Amino acid sequence: MNISIPQNRKIGELFFLILIILAAFWIRVDEYIEWQVEPEKYFYQGEPLLTTYDGYYYLTLARDLIEGTYDPIDTMRAVPDHPRRPSPPPLLSVLAASLTNILPFSLNWIGVTLPVLLGLLLAIPLYAFGRYWGGGVMALTAVMVGMLSSYYVSRSNLGWFDTDCMNVTFTLSISYCLMRFGLEKQFHRYYFFGAAAILTLLFLWWWDQAQMVVALIFLVPFSLALAFNFRPPAKEVKLFYSFLVLVAALVLFWGGLDFPMKMISSVWSKFLYISKQSSSDFPDIGVFVSEQSRLLFSELIDYSTGNWVTFFSGVLGFGLLGVKRPREIVYLAVPFVFGLCAYFFAQRFVIFFISILALGVGYFVSLIWTYFNRNSMVHVLIVFILLYFASSMHLQGTTRSPSVFGMMVSGMNKVDELTSENAVIWNWTNIGYPLIYWGRRSTISDGALHGGERVVYNAIPFVVSDYRLSANFIRFYVQRGMRGIKTFYKAVNNDKAKGLRLIKEILADGPVKAREIILAENISNISGMQSTEDWLEFFYPKKSEAIYLFLDWPLSNQLKTVYWFGTWDVDAKKGETLVSGVKLALGGRVDGNMLTTSSGLSADLARGVLMSGENSRELKTAAYTNKSKTTEYLYPGHEDGKYHLEMNIDADFSYVAYQDEKLGKTIFNKMYWRANLPPEQYFKPVYAQKPFYQIWRVGGDVYNEAR
């Protein structure tokens, strides 16, 4: 069999490189076909929806740049603390805003498609490393493995408008340039240094959430270059180190003399976050963030390469590369360590591990290719084997659902339509960014400002059982915020356990009884708080901006976690653990005292027994809502009953949900599922689209009105 090999290897190499990049592009955009099948899920009024919550942060900043409303203080976030906005604006937002102004596409379409194009740029550093270490075969193989990995595809596909699509590209590119800076012997080594410096500045602009980590990504390979490889003539050494001293002086002048300690502290705080090691009195939110979860070894293989053959080929190849080129492979120290974090700490770092494995597979294949240099048939076989395993890498599935569906977006637009411009929305932290973008209203928590303490306060109004406490806590927090709570903690000698307990008691009892609590506890007078009346006005401030509570369907699926945060015990450093979250079954009917559903779930309401197949559970409570009436069932004889059954039989939408009996008592459960309305003094219904979302106006007690 005659195999025609191109005389010009560069043209052939370029052809296959373009082919791989086109394949990588196609597997990222072919999801659009599935989007077209379910337009109500992936689109809202013809506009595509992002597949990541955090993407709406960057999209909001881009919109503000376009509209000329990019102000230094972000009044939409973390009410009432309002963080400063990054200056300059993040590069991702600037790119999206600029392209929207230039191209005839909406900002939403730019946001959905830009990650696909930027994700393809990973081919550049993978090809560069591969070409330098193993020639064209290694380069092309590394690009193919790295670009087709299902996890990397999922982090750079349609809708994933986040920094992930370029973080690995910048990291590898900086490492490559600094490696060449250290290894080159001629003056053009400084071109590589200049390129690394420019890339680092762009990376600092790009990864605004981790700028000190970016500095580390530059400093580690740069230090290695200076320590082991950089050996120019004496005159060059003096000039170059004089330049470095000047740069260091400028950095210290700009960042302060304590800048190195700030950098170490920032990197250490990031490590504590990903490692879930919190020494705080409040929980580590990273424990409940899916991308922060640690992977099992089998999961690491699935996420990175999709099959064990490619995985172990990559490990073996990278090991052999380290033996062959130990003084060069050390320049990959940062992406290698980041990659290991995927196994030890958080799955989000798999994207770095993929690039390490891609180079390892590339080197391994190049060794085999070279060994059979004169056997074209073996080469053809290698190509087919590579194509097979590359396709299996992508068969893991990368299609992601939108972070918020079309019906949820319609609810957020209702917020914009039905509330005043200065209104504040009490939301669960997940939907903070989308709510700001689609609802154009201020929120109290989001995907970045969600530290453990803030999330505890965020959760409390959803999971308490008392309407009064829930509404009063919301109004108190919106007016006083984290600073106000810390002020009160100081008044009780920084005893946070006692302070949080007293806050709940004071807000649950109303202004009249709250006076008695404040006097009985002999709460200290501190700056600005000189009397009991001052404290009462502090806890029950005058009404100012309108406040609304946004309840949504996804929150019901997270209620078990929300309850854990909302019942946080500062002394014990844990929340209440429940036997079950909300388990939902659609449809259902009640005949007499018997409930039946199409999913096989049934219940005897007279005896208080829940049945699923051959399994049965004792109910502690149940609630049956039929249109405008809710009937509650109590089973006092079931001392060991741990479950609550919620039934809503409506002409338009019927469902049955069973859950831990404690969840049945929560504000969320009572307001979201039942027909009985809470007291209008505390919550007033504004708009509802069952079962997707509800909007409630928040009231509450005011001290001056109570006197």
Side-chain angles (χ1 to χ4, degrees):
M1 180 177 181
N2 294 324
I3 304 294
S4 60
I5 301 175
Q7 294 182 354
N8 191 329
R9 288 182 176 272
K10 290 184 178 180
I11 295 177
E13 209 170 294
L14 179 62
F15 170 77
F16 284 110
L17 179 62
I18 293 174
L19 201 62
I20 293 169
I21 292 175
L22 288 176
F25 173 77
W26 171 249
I27 65 176
R28 284 163 171 79
V29 300
D30 70 344
E31 294 181 6
Y32 186 70
I33 299 172
E34 185 172 330
W35 288 27
Q36 294 285 59
V37 175
E38 298 182 272
E40 70 285 351
K41 180 178 179 180
Y42 291 94
F43 296 88
Y44 177 71
Q45 295 183 349
E47 293 291 320
L49 303 176
L50 300 185
T51 57
T52 168
Y53 290 106
D54 291 351
Y56 285 107
Y57 166 71
Y58 294 102
L59 212 60
T60 299
L61 298 185
R63 182 182 65 191
D64 290 348
L65 288 171
I66 294 170
E67 296 176 352
T69 57
Y70 192 94
D71 299 319
I73 304 298
D74 198 334
T75 58
M76 292 286 191
R77 298 179 64 204
V79 173
D81 303 306
H82 300 309
R84 295 189 65 84
R85 280 180 162 169
S87 181
L91 179 55
L92 181 58
S93 299
V94 173
L95 272 175
S98 301
L99 291 172
T100 303
N101 287 328
I102 296 171
L103 301 175
F105 303 108
S106 70
L107 179 60
N108 295 312
W109 278 106
I110 295 294
V112 163
T113 55
L114 188 58
V116 172
L117 300 176
L118 294 177
L120 299 178
L121 296 179
L122 178 61
I124 297 174
L126 287 177
Y127 183 84
F129 270 116
R131 201 73 180 76
Y132 188 79
W133 281 334
V137 173
M138 178 179 176
L140 293 174
T141 305
V143 171
M144 181 172 66
V145 173
M147 298 287 284
L148 300 185
S149 168
S150 61
Y151 193 80
Y152 181 68
V153 170
S154 71
R155 292 275 170 159
S156 57
N157 64 353
L158 284 177
W160 196 266
F161 189 66
D162 204 350
T163 55
D164 293 342
C165 60
M166 284 289 289
N167 287 346
V168 183
T169 301
F170 274 120
T171 301
L172 288 181
S173 299
I174 292 169
S175 299
Y176 176 79
C177 289
L178 290 174
M179 180 188 73
R180 296 297 300 272
F181 161 72
L183 297 176
E184 294 297 324
K185 305 301 181 183
Q186 304 301 321
F187 184 81
H188 65 265
R189 63 161 65 98
Y190 298 108
Y191 296 147
F192 287 105
F193 174 77
I198 292 171
L199 287 168
T200 301
L201 291 174
L202 289 173
F203 200 9
L204 287 167
W205 190 9
W206 175 266
W207 206 4
D208 61 298
Q209 306 286 333
Q211 292 182 325
M212 294 304 179
V213 176
V214 173
L216 187 70
I217 289 170
F218 173 85
L219 288 174
V220 170
F222 180 57
S223 300
L224 290 170
L226 295 181
F228 300 114
N229 300 113
F230 183 64
R231 299 293 184 269
K235 184 177 181 180
E236 278 188 35
V237 170
K238 291 181 181 179
L239 287 174
F240 187 72
Y241 277 98
S242 297
F243 169 74
L244 293 183
V245 170
L246 176 61
V247 171
L250 291 174
V251 170
L252 292 176
F253 177 78
W254 168 75
L257 294 176
D258 61 343
F259 180 78
M261 293 306 300
K262 290 179 182 176
M263 177 180 168
I264 294 172
S265 176
S266 176
V267 173
W268 180 247
S269 68
K270 297 291 184 186
F271 172 76
L272 290 178
Y273 175 66
I274 66 168
S275 62
K276 279 77 75 177
Q277 299 178 31
S278 175
S279 58
S280 167
D281 291 317
F282 292 92
D284 188 334
I285 187 67
V287 175
F288 291 95
V289 178
S290 59
E291 66 178 15
Q292 294 296 117
S293 62
R294 179 184 172 185
L295 295 177
L296 299 174
F297 187 71
S298 58
E299 292 175 324
L300 181 62
I301 294 176
D302 289 338
Y303 278 54
S304 58
T305 61
N307 61 81
W308 66 269
V309 173
T310 307
F311 182 87
F312 285 108
S313 296
V315 172
L316 178 60
F318 195 76
L320 293 173
L321 183 61
V323 173
K324 182 72 173 179
R325 299 173 177 266
R327 296 173 65 88
E328 297 173 12
I329 202 171
V330 294
Y331 287 95
L332 289 175
V334 172
F336 178 75
V337 171
F338 282 2
L340 291 180
C341 288
Y343 176 70
F344 290 103
F345 301 118
Q347 65 168 270
R348 65 184 302 177
F349 291 98
V350 170
I351 55 176
F352 291 95
F353 197 59
I354 289 166
S355 64
I356 296 297
L357 291 176
L359 292 170
V361 173
Y363 187 69
F364 183 73
V365 170
S366 69
L367 291 178
I368 298 175
W369 188 278
T370 303
Y371 183 79
F372 293 102
N373 189 39
R374 298 183 181 278
N375 194 326
S376 299
M377 287 299 297
V378 173
H379 288 177
V380 172
L381 181 62
I382 291 172
V383 170
F384 275 108
I385 292 173
L386 282 173
L387 290 175
Y388 171 77
F389 283 109
S391 65
S392 71
M393 289 173 62
H394 182 61
L395 290 177
Q396 303 301 309
T398 58
T399 302
R400 290 181 179 267
S401 297
S403 55
V404 288
F405 299 123
M407 286 303 299
M408 283 281 290
V409 173
S410 71
M412 295 174 184
N413 275 342
K414 278 293 180 183
V415 168
D416 183 22
E417 176 186 332
L418 300 175
T419 67
S420 57
E421 288 188 9
N422 67 338
V424 177
I425 312 301
W426 192 276
N427 61 286
W428 181 236
T429 182
N430 280 18
I431 63 167
Y433 288 145
L435 197 51
I436 292 173
Y437 183 76
W438 293 107
R440 291 179 176 262
R441 293 295 179 267
S442 301
T443 64
I444 55 96
S445 184
D446 54 50
L449 296 172
H450 62 180
E453 184 175 0
R454 187 184 297 274
V455 172
V456 166
Y457 304 145
N458 185 188
I460 288 172
F462 292 111
V463 301
V464 296
S465 60
D466 180 29
Y467 293 113
R468 187 180 209 177
L469 171 56
S470 180
N472 285 340
F473 191 94
I474 290 173
R475 183 161 293 281
F476 163 71
Y477 186 92
V478 168
Q479 292 285 91
R480 306 304 182 198
M482 296 274 285
R483 294 176 192 170
I485 292 178
K486 293 180 187 297
T487 296
F488 183 69
Y489 287 161
K490 290 180 182 178
V492 293
N493 298 317
N494 284 317
D495 186 339
K496 295 179 182 177
K498 177 182 178 181
L500 185 55
R501 174 179 57 80
L502 285 175
I503 288 173
K504 292 179 181 179
E505 289 180 8
I506 290 170
L507 294 174
D509 287 345
V512 176
K513 290 186 178 180
R515 175 187 294 274
E516 300 173 8
I517 297 173
I518 293 171
L519 290 171
E521 293 290 340
N522 193 25
I523 296 172
S524 303
N525 292 332
I526 60 175
S527 178
M529 303 293 168
Q530 302 300 321
S531 66
T532 302
E533 278 66 31
D534 289 338
W535 280 115
L536 288 171
E537 289 183 359
F538 172 78
F539 282 108
Y540 293 97
K542 296 178 182 179
K543 295 180 181 179
S544 54
E545 63 275 281
I547 305 172
Y548 295 84
L549 176 65
F550 191 87
L551 303 179
D552 58 90
W553 175 279
L555 181 54
S556 67
N557 297 322
Q558 300 171 297
L559 200 56
K560 183 179 179 181
T561 299
V562 178
Y563 191 87
W564 188 84
F565 282 111
T567 56
W568 182 257
D569 186 319
V570 176
D571 282 335
K573 291 190 176 181
K574 64 180 182 180
E576 290 188 36
T577 302
L578 305 179
V579 296
S580 173
V582 177
K583 308 295 184 182
L584 192 68
L586 300 181
R589 57 181 297 176
V590 175
D591 294 316
N593 287 317
M594 288 300 299
L595 164 76
T596 57
T597 68
S598 57
S599 63
L601 185 71
S602 61
D604 185 330
L605 301 180
R607 295 190 301 122
V609 178
L610 179 69
M611 294 160 285
S612 178
E614 297 181 356
N615 299 318
S616 63
R617 300 177 177 90
E618 283 191 343
L619 294 172
K620 193 75 173 280
T621 56
Y624 171 38
T625 299
N626 190 345
K627 296 185 178 179
S628 61
K629 181 183 177 182
T630 296
T631 303
E632 296 188 37
Y633 297 81
L634 301 176
Y635 304 103
H638 292 180
E639 297 298 332
D640 297 329
K642 297 179 180 179
Y643 291 90
H644 168 79
L645 183 65
E646 198 74 36
M647 300 160 284
N648 195 313
I649 310 301
D650 189 276
D652 298 322
F653 182 80
S654 298
Y655 61 85
V656 175
Y658 74 90
Q659 57 202 294
D660 190 292
E661 59 95 12
K662 293 178 181 178
L663 293 183
K665 302 173 184 177
T666 62
I667 290 296
F668 176 87
N669 188 80
K670 292 190 289 187
M671 292 174 62
Y672 200 71
W673 301 120
R674 300 180 190 173
N676 299 347
L677 296 177
E680 285 197 5
Q681 180 183 355
Y682 301 113
F683 293 101
K684 184 178 181 179
V686 176
Y687 191 86
Q689 181 66 53
K690 290 184 178 181
F692 302 104
Y693 64 87
Q694 297 174 2
I695 304 169
W696 297 79
R697 177 75 178 260
V698 181
D701 299 315
V702 177
Y703 171 58
N704 287 330
E705 294 177 357
R707 284 200 285 188

